[in-house]
Amino acid sequence: MAEITLQDIIKEENLVYKKSKVMTDNTLSYCPGCGHGTAHRLIAEVIEELGIQSETIGVSPVGCSVLMYNFLDIDMQQAAHGRAPAVATAIKRIMPEKYVFTYQGDGDLAAIGTAETIHACNRGENITIIFINNGIYGMTGGQMAPTTLEGMPASTCPFGRDIELMGNPLKMTELVANLAGVYSVSRHSVHTPRNVRKAKKAILQAFESQKLKRGVSFIEIVSNCNSGWKLTPRKANEWMEENMFPFYPLGDIKVDGQLVTK
Amino acid sequence: MAKIRGAVVVDVEGCKGCGVCIPACPSEVLDLAKEVNGKGYNYSFMKNPEACVGCANCAIVCPDGVISVYKVKVA
């Protein structure tokens, strides 16, 4: 048997994975190791697989992912801080045949946009909401967000979040799961291959249920913010597993309009 | 038995050296280079190319999508 060289393997016909064509060639503006890039790529892959590149309209938030329209080659609208579900509602009502999704961080969706999120979910707007939760305001310098864990340091609470002084962290995903207009709710992460595959499946199902006009699909992705957490990318992922997942457990919360009982 | 050989191609200038791909690899193929790319990041490279099975785990966790994976069956 002749020895096979790398040149023999690296050929177009042997390709098993490359970046989705729905992603543009622009370099992502995120820090090394940030989960935003993986989440963007999953959305791009789902859009490519479903063949809905020209029928999808995304709504980007205020936060690190504000420039999302530079990275995805689809129609996008940038909403005012927290108002992405309201903008998505309008887009979906004017163009009901389009696939509409919002992509929001925790400072956007769980703080300033709480009212819009809850009412859009309660009305059962036929949209997909993708919620990236990293526990702090990453873009502005790591300030405490509603989702900051108890005892978790942030730049505005350097000694950790004190529940008596600063209140409790908000589980937005469990909150919206109780609303009647919401069809499916699940929580994922994108730090290991297994979790990435699960998250992609959830996004795929969300877009499919949008086609069937079933109501809001809400997907939370627990992500890291290694710059804000002052950790290396790999350490940040380990920290997330140890600290974020006990409070924000991964898995399905609402499936087919029914709450999952554990 | 057919053996599977894989290969990883990293876009060196796009890699930000986060290292998330390294623990994702089941056969410990990848590592960060001692050299840096144009942006000053220690990019990811195949330290042990013989062991690659082309599972694409590194590529699907890469936040910047700079990894392409190739796979071939060797008879």
Side-chain angles (χ1 to χ4, degrees):
Chain A
M1 188 183 84
E3 197 55 42
I4 190 159
T5 62
L6 282 181
Q7 281 76 31
D8 297 330
I9 305 172
I10 302 167
K11 283 180 184 163
E12 198 58 40
E13 66 265 26
N14 298 334
L15 185 75
V16 284
Y17 190 93
K18 70 180 275 199
K19 190 168 86 168
S20 167
K21 287 192 186 78
V22 178
M23 294 286 283
T24 63
D25 290 332
N26 296 333
T27 307
L28 297 177
S29 56
Y30 307 118
C31 307
C34 178
H36 271 313
T38 318
H40 282 18
R41 197 160 39 74
L42 291 185
I43 296 169
E45 283 174 14
V46 167
I47 290 171
E48 192 180 358
E49 278 174 27
L50 293 173
I52 53 172
Q53 187 172 5
S54 57
E55 297 155 47
T56 309
I57 302 174
V59 184
S60 66
V62 171
C64 289
S65 48
V66 65
L67 299 173
M68 192 181 178
Y69 47 78
N70 277 338
F71 311 129
L72 290 183
D73 192 10
I74 54 172
D75 289 330
M76 291 208 70
Q77 167 74 49
Q78 204 276 318
H81 203 357
R83 274 60 181 162
V87 174
T89 300
I91 296 172
K92 188 72 185 183
R93 287 189 178 196
I94 294 166
M95 290 177 274
E97 73 287 358
K98 299 279 186 192
Y99 293 84
V100 181
F101 73 92
T102 73
Y103 184 96
Q104 300 173 265
D106 51 332
D108 189 83
L109 183 142
I112 193 166
T114 318
E116 279 77 5
T117 307
I118 288 180
H119 284 292
C121 289
N122 197 35
R123 288 194 303 267
E125 298 297 339
N126 194 23
I127 56 173
T128 301
I129 297 177
I130 295 167
F131 168 37
I132 309 292
N133 178 4
N134 59 14
I136 54 167
Y137 285 86
M139 183 205 206
T140 49
Q143 289 85 356
M144 184 176 68
T147 46
T148 303
L149 302 172
E150 182 182 4
M152 177 177 169
S155 62
T156 46
C157 55
F159 305 109
R161 183 176 189 152
D162 176 6
I163 297 288
E164 277 192 22
L165 187 64
M166 299 149 189
N168 291 294
L170 180 60
K171 287 188 180 184
M172 201 64 195
T173 308
E174 274 83 353
L175 197 67
V176 299
N178 293 309
L179 303 174
V182 181
Y183 180 72
S184 72
V185 178
S186 56
R187 187 184 277 126
H188 299 273
S189 80
V190 290
H191 70 300
T192 62
R194 184 167 160 257
N195 289 308
V196 171
R197 289 195 171 97
K198 280 187 182 171
K200 185 178 169 184
K201 202 174 153 198
I203 296 172
L204 188 74
Q205 283 171 349
F207 275 89
E208 280 171 348
S209 63
Q210 196 176 134
K211 193 178 183 181
L212 301 169
K213 298 188 169 45
R214 283 167 164 168
V216 175
S217 300
F218 191 100
I219 298 163
E220 173 177 349
I221 295 176
V222 181
S223 185
N224 58 7
C225 180
N226 46 69
S227 304
W229 295 354
K230 317 280 184 234
L231 295 167
T232 63
R234 284 171 70 179
K235 280 266 171 3
N237 282 342
E238 285 164 19
W239 191 93
M240 177 170 74
E241 278 181 7
E242 285 164 21
N243 299 281
M244 297 283 277
F245 293 172
F247 190 77
Y248 298 114
L250 305 183
D252 291 324
I253 295 156
K254 196 174 192 180
V255 180
D256 299 343
Q258 298 293 319
L259 283 170
V260 176
T261 47
K262 280 176 186 158
Chain B
M1 200 182 97
K3 200 181 160 212
I4 291 174
R5 281 289 307 272
V8 166
V9 178
V10 180
D11 171 10
V12 169
E13 285 309 311
C15 181
K16 293 179 183 166
C18 64
V20 173
C21 51
I22 296 167
C25 178
S27 35
E28 297 180 6
V29 172
L30 296 164
D31 202 356
L32 293 184
K34 289 205 171 65
E35 300 81 40
V36 294
N37 63 14
K39 296 194 190 98
Y41 293 121
N42 296 88
Y43 54 88
S44 176
F45 80 114
M46 282 206 288
K47 178 185 65 177
N48 186 12
E50 301 289 311
C52 182
V53 291
C55 67
N57 274 0
C58 51
I60 71 164
V61 295
C62 176
D64 294 280
V66 295
I67 302 180
S68 306
V69 183
Y70 298 83
K71 185 159 85 171
V72 68
K73 252 186 197 165
V74 186

